[in-house]
Amino acid sequence: MRRAYFKFSWIAAALLAPQLLIIFVFFYWPSMQALYWAFTLEQPWGGGNTWVGFDNFTKVLSDPYYWGSVRVSVIYALATTVLAMTMALTLAIFVDRQLAGYRVWRVGIIWPYAVAAPAVGLAFQFVFNPGAGIFSYINTIAPGWWDLSKYPWQAVTAIVIAGAWKQVAYSFIFFLAALQSIPRSLTEAAAMDGARPLRRMVDLQLPLLTPTFFFLLVINITDSFTDSFGIVDTLTGGGPFRATDLMVYKIYTDGFRGFDYSGAAAQSIILMLLVMALTFVQFRYVERRVHYT
Amino acid sequence: MAEIIIRNVAKTYGKTTIMDGVNLTIRNGEFVVILGPSGCGKSTLLRLIAGLEDITDGEIEIGGQIVNQLEPRERGCAMVFQNYALYPHMTVAENIGYALKVAGVAKAERLARIEATAKAVGLADFLDRKPGQLSGGQRQRVAMARAIIREPKVFLFDEPLSNLDAKLRVQMRHEIRRIHNAVGATSVFVTHDQHEGMTLADRLVIMNKGTIEQIGTPEDIYEHPASLYVAGFVGSPAMNILPGSLDATGLSVLLADGQGLDIPSSFKARAGQLVQIGLRPEKLSILPKGHGQLSATFQFFEELGSARIYHLLIEDIPLGVVSEHKLSLTEGETVGIGFPTSALHVFDGPSGRSLDRPGVAERVAELV
């Protein structure tokens, strides 16, 4: 393969600088800082950090609350990813088949992507409110049955639904684009070969979607591990009884509410390693089954 | 085995009419080629037969059954697409056998039939490959095999050779004809390539702007084009067209540069009528000045090896002559042009209809 080599030039450096600066300021610098904090302990009233080695990590990893947080984070990530991708694929197939009004749906389905996570959380707080809306009707039939602030499984369900709702849009765009890039003649050939629409979907469309599917799996899982703060904060505040205390949310509460910067930094490093490991596993084992055309 | 009858078929998209009042009967086991330039509606006609598009008006009958309301899978047609439309994630064997799998044919029988079909098209060694690992010609064969294995009543070909290089195209052309003869199913083949049309067809259907211009054997269409359009489309190099008008006797055509050309009385031409004279380049011969029916000015020639194409002018109207004779002519030299009377075609000037035989409409009516 031919490669292009470029000579160093000041113009290129100047053009790259703004982007590099942003990445440095908002990623490398904080990451370095977190790494430093994770291996040190800040003195109570300031006055410098003491090197403590892996103490912060052992403390975090021996904390049963932390493992609870990991457990619910994994449940949340898997549930939102499965739910969001299933919904997105279903909607994309309908839109791709150009059912009545598909143009309106296409725009309508993309919109949620533009809504900020805290706004989503707030909106769903109204939806899931036990005293108003749909669930108040259910509660009049079965009093006290629905209460986010009382039942852990309901709180988890609520953040999963809100999180999935927000992620549907992104996956939908990619699924729709992938479906529309399948040549029409392929579908027609399958129709001539006797396959009905459902059969064509299973034998033809889904296998050809695997690259998109894999890409979205990585993105969605990473997103649900790292980008769930806004929804949790507005919808459940991590409760009840730490039932929705996702890893990201725990980092925030331990760090900024509990002022345990070192513990929170250690957690950030663990989360980062976890996401990297997951992505690696997905590339290693899932991508093998992907068919690229 | 099936006869295809197309009655008064029309197709519109919104307000755009693609095709109107098309009538065509394709006999059982016949190889029919639909020939026309891009956008003439030939592919649409094929897709209407296949059931990939809905008919706006009219009727299509396959093997004695009206198929207007039938899904593609119920029509008993197999189709070879222009881009082959192979399933990229399936192996050659899976591609060929997909129709059987959908139909629920048992695995053992399926494998046996896949093997037999692959052998018939020379793909036996490639069954485990994916389409992406095949050459253009091999992909074409997979597409053919996929159609053959279903043992369809009708084969539909949508410009299947246009993506191949010239040499392979000729080879696959022979193969398609060979398979047609072996299988005996009715075949409908769409192309814009007149060579493919002429060589493959039992009968040719020439289409133009959503209507059928002429139906006939390749020889019939070459010798007796029903219109100027057909005359210009079939034959290479294209037929020479000389505009003129009939004199008062109705037996002599006055050409642009003032020379007269006598025409037999068998043409249905009126005195004073504007006409176009059609002359095939390969029927003309170059004679010494003063001989033959016309005189023209020599310009240059193109060497073909087996023959030459001589380019001449009658005033400013170009005239081509194909001849095996190696003549030494100088530019600007005046020569005579001779031809047998049977080579003369006369078309009505404004409408382009042939004046030596019944018009297209009557011909189509006869066939239905």
Side-chain angles (χ1 to χ4, degrees), chain B residues 330-359:
Chain B
T330 51
E331 194 187 333
E333 190 179 335
T334 304
V335 294
I337 302 293
F339 51 87
T341 317
S342 63
L344 192 64
H345 301 276
V346 182
F347 302 94
D348 177 48
S351 72
R353 288 285 165 80
S354 172
L355 294 174
D356 60 346
R357 60 198 342 264

PDB file of all heavy atoms in Angstrom, chain B residues 330-359:
ATOM      1  N   THR B 330      -9.014  10.100 -53.978  1.00  0.00           N
ATOM      2  CA  THR B 330      -8.451  11.307 -53.380  1.00  0.00           C
ATOM      3  C   THR B 330      -9.578  12.145 -52.813  1.00  0.00           C
ATOM      4  O   THR B 330     -10.720  12.096 -53.285  1.00  0.00           O
ATOM      5  CB  THR B 330      -7.688  12.142 -54.422  1.00  0.00           C
ATOM      6  OG1 THR B 330      -8.550  12.336 -55.539  1.00  0.00           O
ATOM      7  CG2 THR B 330      -6.421  11.436 -54.862  1.00  0.00           C
ATOM      8  N   GLU B 331      -9.242  12.892 -51.794  1.00  0.00           N
ATOM      9  CA  GLU B 331     -10.248  13.694 -51.117  1.00  0.00           C
ATOM     10  C   GLU B 331     -10.876  14.677 -52.103  1.00  0.00           C
ATOM     11  O   GLU B 331     -10.173  15.306 -52.894  1.00  0.00           O
ATOM     12  CB  GLU B 331      -9.608  14.443 -49.946  1.00  0.00           C
ATOM     13  CG  GLU B 331     -10.640  15.019 -49.005  1.00  0.00           C
ATOM     14  CD  GLU B 331     -10.029  15.914 -47.939  1.00  0.00           C
ATOM     15  OE1 GLU B 331      -8.855  15.697 -47.606  1.00  0.00           O
ATOM     16  OE2 GLU B 331     -10.736  16.818 -47.471  1.00  0.00           O
ATOM     17  N   GLY B 332     -12.210  14.790 -52.051  1.00  0.00           N
ATOM     18  CA  GLY B 332     -12.901  15.716 -52.932  1.00  0.00           C
ATOM     19  C   GLY B 332     -13.273  15.108 -54.274  1.00  0.00           C
ATOM     20  O   GLY B 332     -13.969  15.728 -55.074  1.00  0.00           O
ATOM     21  N   GLU B 333     -12.859  13.882 -54.523  1.00  0.00           N
ATOM     22  CA  GLU B 333     -13.162  13.207 -55.786  1.00  0.00           C
ATOM     23  C   GLU B 333     -14.641  12.852 -55.855  1.00  0.00           C
ATOM     24  O   GLU B 333     -15.234  12.409 -54.877  1.00  0.00           O
ATOM     25  CB  GLU B 333     -12.302  11.934 -55.872  1.00  0.00           C
ATOM     26  CG  GLU B 333     -12.332  11.253 -57.216  1.00  0.00           C
ATOM     27  CD  GLU B 333     -11.437  10.000 -57.221  1.00  0.00           C
ATOM     28  OE1 GLU B 333     -10.482   9.934 -56.404  1.00  0.00           O
ATOM     29  OE2 GLU B 333     -11.717   9.094 -58.020  1.00  0.00           O
ATOM     30  N   THR B 334     -15.244  13.045 -56.994  1.00  0.00           N
ATOM     31  CA  THR B 334     -16.655  12.689 -57.174  1.00  0.00           C
ATOM     32  C   THR B 334     -16.742  11.258 -57.688  1.00  0.00           C
ATOM     33  O   THR B 334     -16.020  10.881 -58.614  1.00  0.00           O
ATOM     34  CB  THR B 334     -17.335  13.639 -58.176  1.00  0.00           C
ATOM     35  OG1 THR B 334     -17.165  14.978 -57.705  1.00  0.00           O
ATOM     36  CG2 THR B 334     -18.819  13.343 -58.296  1.00  0.00           C
ATOM     37  N   VAL B 335     -17.599  10.462 -57.026  1.00  0.00           N
ATOM     38  CA  VAL B 335     -17.764   9.064 -57.438  1.00  0.00           C
ATOM     39  C   VAL B 335     -19.248   8.754 -57.607  1.00  0.00           C
ATOM     40  O   VAL B 335     -20.116   9.517 -57.165  1.00  0.00           O
ATOM     41  CB  VAL B 335     -17.155   8.088 -56.408  1.00  0.00           C
ATOM     42  CG1 VAL B 335     -15.650   8.231 -56.318  1.00  0.00           C
ATOM     43  CG2 VAL B 335     -17.802   8.291 -55.043  1.00  0.00           C
ATOM     44  N   GLY B 336     -19.530   7.644 -58.228  1.00  0.00           N
ATOM     45  CA  GLY B 336     -20.906   7.177 -58.344  1.00  0.00           C
ATOM     46  C   GLY B 336     -21.202   6.165 -57.255  1.00  0.00           C
ATOM     47  O   GLY B 336     -20.306   5.470 -56.769  1.00  0.00           O
ATOM     48  N   ILE B 337     -22.466   6.107 -56.822  1.00  0.00           N
ATOM     49  CA  ILE B 337     -22.888   5.147 -55.795  1.00  0.00           C
ATOM     50  C   ILE B 337     -23.956   4.243 -56.395  1.00  0.00           C
ATOM     51  O   ILE B 337     -24.970   4.727 -56.912  1.00  0.00           O
ATOM     52  CB  ILE B 337     -23.477   5.868 -54.567  1.00  0.00           C
ATOM     53  CG1 ILE B 337     -22.465   6.844 -53.953  1.00  0.00           C
ATOM     54  CG2 ILE B 337     -23.976   4.871 -53.527  1.00  0.00           C
ATOM     55  CD1 ILE B 337     -21.258   6.192 -53.335  1.00  0.00           C
ATOM     56  N   GLY B 338     -23.715   2.951 -56.323  1.00  0.00           N
ATOM     57  CA  GLY B 338     -24.686   2.012 -56.869  1.00  0.00           C
ATOM     58  C   GLY B 338     -25.219   1.078 -55.809  1.00  0.00           C
ATOM     59  O   GLY B 338     -24.546   0.811 -54.819  1.00  0.00           O
ATOM     60  N   PHE B 339     -26.462   0.613 -55.990  1.00  0.00           N
ATOM     61  CA  PHE B 339     -27.062  -0.336 -55.038  1.00  0.00           C
ATOM     62  C   PHE B 339     -28.234  -1.034 -55.719  1.00  0.00           C
ATOM     63  O   PHE B 339     -28.839  -0.489 -56.645  1.00  0.00           O
ATOM     64  CB  PHE B 339     -27.522   0.382 -53.771  1.00  0.00           C
ATOM     65  CG  PHE B 339     -28.381   1.593 -54.027  1.00  0.00           C
ATOM     66  CD1 PHE B 339     -29.763   1.468 -54.176  1.00  0.00           C
ATOM     67  CD2 PHE B 339     -27.809   2.857 -54.142  1.00  0.00           C
ATOM     68  CE1 PHE B 339     -30.544   2.585 -54.404  1.00  0.00           C
ATOM     69  CE2 PHE B 339     -28.584   3.967 -54.379  1.00  0.00           C
ATOM     70  CZ  PHE B 339     -29.962   3.838 -54.525  1.00  0.00           C
ATOM     71  N   PRO B 340     -28.563  -2.256 -55.242  1.00  0.00           N
ATOM     72  CA  PRO B 340     -29.746  -2.924 -55.790  1.00  0.00           C
ATOM     73  C   PRO B 340     -31.017  -2.229 -55.303  1.00  0.00           C
ATOM     74  O   PRO B 340     -31.019  -1.654 -54.204  1.00  0.00           O
ATOM     75  CB  PRO B 340     -29.644  -4.342 -55.220  1.00  0.00           C
ATOM     76  CG  PRO B 340     -28.787  -4.225 -54.009  1.00  0.00           C
ATOM     77  CD  PRO B 340     -27.861  -3.073 -54.253  1.00  0.00           C
ATOM     78  N   THR B 341     -32.066  -2.260 -56.088  1.00  0.00           N
ATOM     79  CA  THR B 341     -33.322  -1.599 -55.714  1.00  0.00           C
ATOM     80  C   THR B 341     -33.844  -2.126 -54.385  1.00  0.00           C
ATOM     81  O   THR B 341     -34.442  -1.388 -53.604  1.00  0.00           O
ATOM     82  CB  THR B 341     -34.386  -1.842 -56.799  1.00  0.00           C
ATOM     83  OG1 THR B 341     -33.768  -1.667 -58.061  1.00  0.00           O
ATOM     84  CG2 THR B 341     -35.543  -0.880 -56.651  1.00  0.00           C
ATOM     85  N   SER B 342     -33.578  -3.409 -54.104  1.00  0.00           N
ATOM     86  CA  SER B 342     -34.083  -4.003 -52.851  1.00  0.00           C
ATOM     87  C   SER B 342     -33.457  -3.351 -51.623  1.00  0.00           C
ATOM     88  O   SER B 342     -33.972  -3.472 -50.516  1.00  0.00           O
ATOM     89  CB  SER B 342     -33.790  -5.502 -52.837  1.00  0.00           C
ATOM     90  OG  SER B 342     -32.383  -5.702 -52.851  1.00  0.00           O
ATOM     91  N   ALA B 343     -32.310  -2.653 -51.803  1.00  0.00           N
ATOM     92  CA  ALA B 343     -31.634  -2.031 -50.660  1.00  0.00           C
ATOM     93  C   ALA B 343     -32.256  -0.692 -50.292  1.00  0.00           C
ATOM     94  O   ALA B 343     -31.878  -0.078 -49.291  1.00  0.00           O
ATOM     95  CB  ALA B 343     -30.156  -1.826 -50.975  1.00  0.00           C
ATOM     96  N   LEU B 344     -33.215  -0.254 -51.099  1.00  0.00           N
ATOM     97  CA  LEU B 344     -33.780   1.081 -50.923  1.00  0.00           C
ATOM     98  C   LEU B 344     -34.902   1.067 -49.879  1.00  0.00           C
ATOM     99  O   LEU B 344     -35.827   0.255 -49.961  1.00  0.00           O
ATOM    100  CB  LEU B 344     -34.320   1.552 -52.279  1.00  0.00           C
ATOM    101  CG  LEU B 344     -34.718   2.997 -52.452  1.00  0.00           C
ATOM    102  CD1 LEU B 344     -33.515   3.918 -52.304  1.00  0.00           C
ATOM    103  CD2 LEU B 344     -35.348   3.175 -53.817  1.00  0.00           C
ATOM    104  N   HIS B 345     -34.774   1.933 -48.880  1.00  0.00           N
ATOM    105  CA  HIS B 345     -35.851   2.092 -47.895  1.00  0.00           C
ATOM    106  C   HIS B 345     -36.372   3.508 -48.011  1.00  0.00           C
ATOM    107  O   HIS B 345     -35.600   4.445 -48.153  1.00  0.00           O
ATOM    108  CB  HIS B 345     -35.331   1.885 -46.478  1.00  0.00           C
ATOM    109  CG  HIS B 345     -34.729   0.530 -46.257  1.00  0.00           C
ATOM    110  ND1 HIS B 345     -35.475  -0.569 -45.943  1.00  0.00           N
ATOM    111  CD2 HIS B 345     -33.441   0.110 -46.328  1.00  0.00           C
ATOM    112  CE1 HIS B 345     -34.682  -1.624 -45.819  1.00  0.00           C
ATOM    113  NE2 HIS B 345     -33.432  -1.237 -46.054  1.00  0.00           N
ATOM    114  N   VAL B 346     -37.705   3.648 -47.971  1.00  0.00           N
ATOM    115  CA  VAL B 346     -38.295   4.983 -48.036  1.00  0.00           C
ATOM    116  C   VAL B 346     -39.173   5.183 -46.811  1.00  0.00           C
ATOM    117  O   VAL B 346     -40.015   4.340 -46.484  1.00  0.00           O
ATOM    118  CB  VAL B 346     -39.128   5.174 -49.321  1.00  0.00           C
ATOM    119  CG1 VAL B 346     -39.680   6.597 -49.381  1.00  0.00           C
ATOM    120  CG2 VAL B 346     -38.281   4.875 -50.547  1.00  0.00           C
ATOM    121  N   PHE B 347     -38.915   6.284 -46.090  1.00  0.00           N
ATOM    122  CA  PHE B 347     -39.693   6.583 -44.886  1.00  0.00           C
ATOM    123  C   PHE B 347     -40.422   7.900 -45.086  1.00  0.00           C
ATOM    124  O   PHE B 347     -39.931   8.803 -45.769  1.00  0.00           O
ATOM    125  CB  PHE B 347     -38.777   6.699 -43.670  1.00  0.00           C
ATOM    126  CG  PHE B 347     -37.960   5.463 -43.413  1.00  0.00           C
ATOM    127  CD1 PHE B 347     -36.662   5.348 -43.917  1.00  0.00           C
ATOM    128  CD2 PHE B 347     -38.489   4.408 -42.691  1.00  0.00           C
ATOM    129  CE1 PHE B 347     -35.911   4.212 -43.693  1.00  0.00           C
ATOM    130  CE2 PHE B 347     -37.743   3.265 -42.465  1.00  0.00           C
ATOM    131  CZ  PHE B 347     -36.455   3.164 -42.969  1.00  0.00           C
ATOM    132  N   ASP B 348     -41.594   8.005 -44.451  1.00  0.00           N
ATOM    133  CA  ASP B 348     -42.318   9.261 -44.470  1.00  0.00           C
ATOM    134  C   ASP B 348     -41.483  10.297 -43.712  1.00  0.00           C
ATOM    135  O   ASP B 348     -40.977  10.014 -42.622  1.00  0.00           O
ATOM    136  CB  ASP B 348     -43.684   9.058 -43.808  1.00  0.00           C
ATOM    137  CG  ASP B 348     -44.461  10.361 -43.722  1.00  0.00           C
ATOM    138  OD1 ASP B 348     -44.534  11.055 -44.748  1.00  0.00           O
ATOM    139  OD2 ASP B 348     -44.951  10.681 -42.625  1.00  0.00           O
ATOM    140  N   GLY B 349     -41.343  11.500 -44.281  1.00  0.00           N
ATOM    141  CA  GLY B 349     -40.473  12.513 -43.678  1.00  0.00           C
ATOM    142  C   GLY B 349     -40.836  12.873 -42.256  1.00  0.00           C
ATOM    143  O   GLY B 349     -40.040  12.642 -41.335  1.00  0.00           O
ATOM    144  N   PRO B 350     -42.036  13.421 -42.025  1.00  0.00           N
ATOM    145  CA  PRO B 350     -42.360  13.877 -40.669  1.00  0.00           C
ATOM    146  C   PRO B 350     -42.494  12.738 -39.653  1.00  0.00           C
ATOM    147  O   PRO B 350     -41.944  12.826 -38.560  1.00  0.00           O
ATOM    148  CB  PRO B 350     -43.707  14.592 -40.837  1.00  0.00           C
ATOM    149  CG  PRO B 350     -43.855  14.845 -42.293  1.00  0.00           C
ATOM    150  CD  PRO B 350     -43.068  13.784 -42.995  1.00  0.00           C
ATOM    151  N   SER B 351     -43.200  11.647 -39.979  1.00  0.00           N
ATOM    152  CA  SER B 351     -43.480  10.622 -38.967  1.00  0.00           C
ATOM    153  C   SER B 351     -42.360   9.588 -38.871  1.00  0.00           C
ATOM    154  O   SER B 351     -42.228   8.902 -37.860  1.00  0.00           O
ATOM    155  CB  SER B 351     -44.790   9.904 -39.280  1.00  0.00           C
ATOM    156  OG  SER B 351     -44.619   9.048 -40.401  1.00  0.00           O
ATOM    157  N   GLY B 352     -41.550   9.437 -39.908  1.00  0.00           N
ATOM    158  CA  GLY B 352     -40.489   8.445 -39.888  1.00  0.00           C
ATOM    159  C   GLY B 352     -40.969   7.029 -40.155  1.00  0.00           C
ATOM    160  O   GLY B 352     -40.188   6.089 -40.113  1.00  0.00           O
ATOM    161  N   ARG B 353     -42.276   6.857 -40.432  1.00  0.00           N
ATOM    162  CA  ARG B 353     -42.798   5.508 -40.698  1.00  0.00           C
ATOM    163  C   ARG B 353     -42.342   5.007 -42.057  1.00  0.00           C
ATOM    164  O   ARG B 353     -42.257   5.779 -43.015  1.00  0.00           O
ATOM    165  CB  ARG B 353     -44.349   5.538 -40.689  1.00  0.00           C
ATOM    166  CG  ARG B 353     -44.930   5.710 -39.321  1.00  0.00           C
ATOM    167  CD  ARG B 353     -44.799   4.404 -38.560  1.00  0.00           C
ATOM    168  NE  ARG B 353     -45.021   4.582 -37.133  1.00  0.00           N
ATOM    169  CZ  ARG B 353     -46.225   4.680 -36.582  1.00  0.00           C
ATOM    170  NH1 ARG B 353     -47.299   4.639 -37.334  1.00  0.00           N
ATOM    171  NH2 ARG B 353     -46.344   4.832 -35.289  1.00  0.00           N
ATOM    172  N   SER B 354     -42.098   3.712 -42.138  1.00  0.00           N
ATOM    173  CA  SER B 354     -41.699   3.127 -43.407  1.00  0.00           C
ATOM    174  C   SER B 354     -42.869   3.169 -44.382  1.00  0.00           C
ATOM    175  O   SER B 354     -44.022   2.970 -44.006  1.00  0.00           O
ATOM    176  CB  SER B 354     -41.269   1.675 -43.192  1.00  0.00           C
ATOM    177  OG  SER B 354     -41.062   1.065 -44.436  1.00  0.00           O
ATOM    178  N   LEU B 355     -42.537   3.448 -45.664  1.00  0.00           N
ATOM    179  CA  LEU B 355     -43.596   3.498 -46.677  1.00  0.00           C
ATOM    180  C   LEU B 355     -43.657   2.211 -47.496  1.00  0.00           C
ATOM    181  O   LEU B 355     -44.453   2.086 -48.403  1.00  0.00           O
ATOM    182  CB  LEU B 355     -43.363   4.691 -47.611  1.00  0.00           C
ATOM    183  CG  LEU B 355     -43.489   6.060 -46.933  1.00  0.00           C
ATOM    184  CD1 LEU B 355     -43.109   7.166 -47.893  1.00  0.00           C
ATOM    185  CD2 LEU B 355     -44.903   6.281 -46.406  1.00  0.00           C
ATOM    186  N   ASP B 356     -42.793   1.220 -47.138  1.00  0.00           N
ATOM    187  CA  ASP B 356     -42.809   0.004 -47.938  1.00  0.00           C
ATOM    188  C   ASP B 356     -43.478  -1.175 -47.246  1.00  0.00           C
ATOM    189  O   ASP B 356     -43.480  -2.272 -47.750  1.00  0.00           O
ATOM    190  CB  ASP B 356     -41.392  -0.391 -48.392  1.00  0.00           C
ATOM    191  CG  ASP B 356     -40.444  -0.637 -47.230  1.00  0.00           C
ATOM    192  OD1 ASP B 356     -40.809  -0.251 -46.107  1.00  0.00           O
ATOM    193  OD2 ASP B 356     -39.369  -1.207 -47.448  1.00  0.00           O
ATOM    194  N   ARG B 357     -44.028  -0.953 -46.097  1.00  0.00           N
ATOM    195  CA  ARG B 357     -44.729  -2.052 -45.419  1.00  0.00           C
ATOM    196  C   ARG B 357     -45.729  -1.471 -44.423  1.00  0.00           C
ATOM    197  O   ARG B 357     -45.659  -0.286 -44.107  1.00  0.00           O
ATOM    198  CB  ARG B 357     -43.738  -2.985 -44.725  1.00  0.00           C
ATOM    199  CG  ARG B 357     -42.893  -2.297 -43.675  1.00  0.00           C
ATOM    200  CD  ARG B 357     -41.650  -3.077 -43.315  1.00  0.00           C
ATOM    201  NE  ARG B 357     -41.722  -4.479 -43.703  1.00  0.00           N
ATOM    202  CZ  ARG B 357     -42.083  -5.454 -42.894  1.00  0.00           C
ATOM    203  NH1 ARG B 357     -42.442  -5.197 -41.669  1.00  0.00           N
ATOM    204  NH2 ARG B 357     -42.062  -6.695 -43.300  1.00  0.00           N
ATOM    205  N   PRO B 358     -46.655  -2.321 -43.918  1.00  0.00           N
ATOM    206  CA  PRO B 358     -47.638  -1.788 -42.976  1.00  0.00           C
ATOM    207  C   PRO B 358     -46.949  -1.175 -41.755  1.00  0.00           C
ATOM    208  O   PRO B 358     -45.868  -1.615 -41.368  1.00  0.00           O
ATOM    209  CB  PRO B 358     -48.443  -3.028 -42.563  1.00  0.00           C
ATOM    210  CG  PRO B 358     -48.196  -4.043 -43.603  1.00  0.00           C
ATOM    211  CD  PRO B 358     -46.866  -3.735 -44.211  1.00  0.00           C
ATOM    212  N   GLY B 359     -47.585  -0.162 -41.138  1.00  0.00           N
ATOM    213  CA  GLY B 359     -47.004   0.524 -39.986  1.00  0.00           C
ATOM    214  C   GLY B 359     -46.961  -0.370 -38.756  1.00  0.00           C
ATOM    215  O   GLY B 359     -47.495  -1.484 -38.749  1.00  0.00           O
TER     216      GLY B 359
END
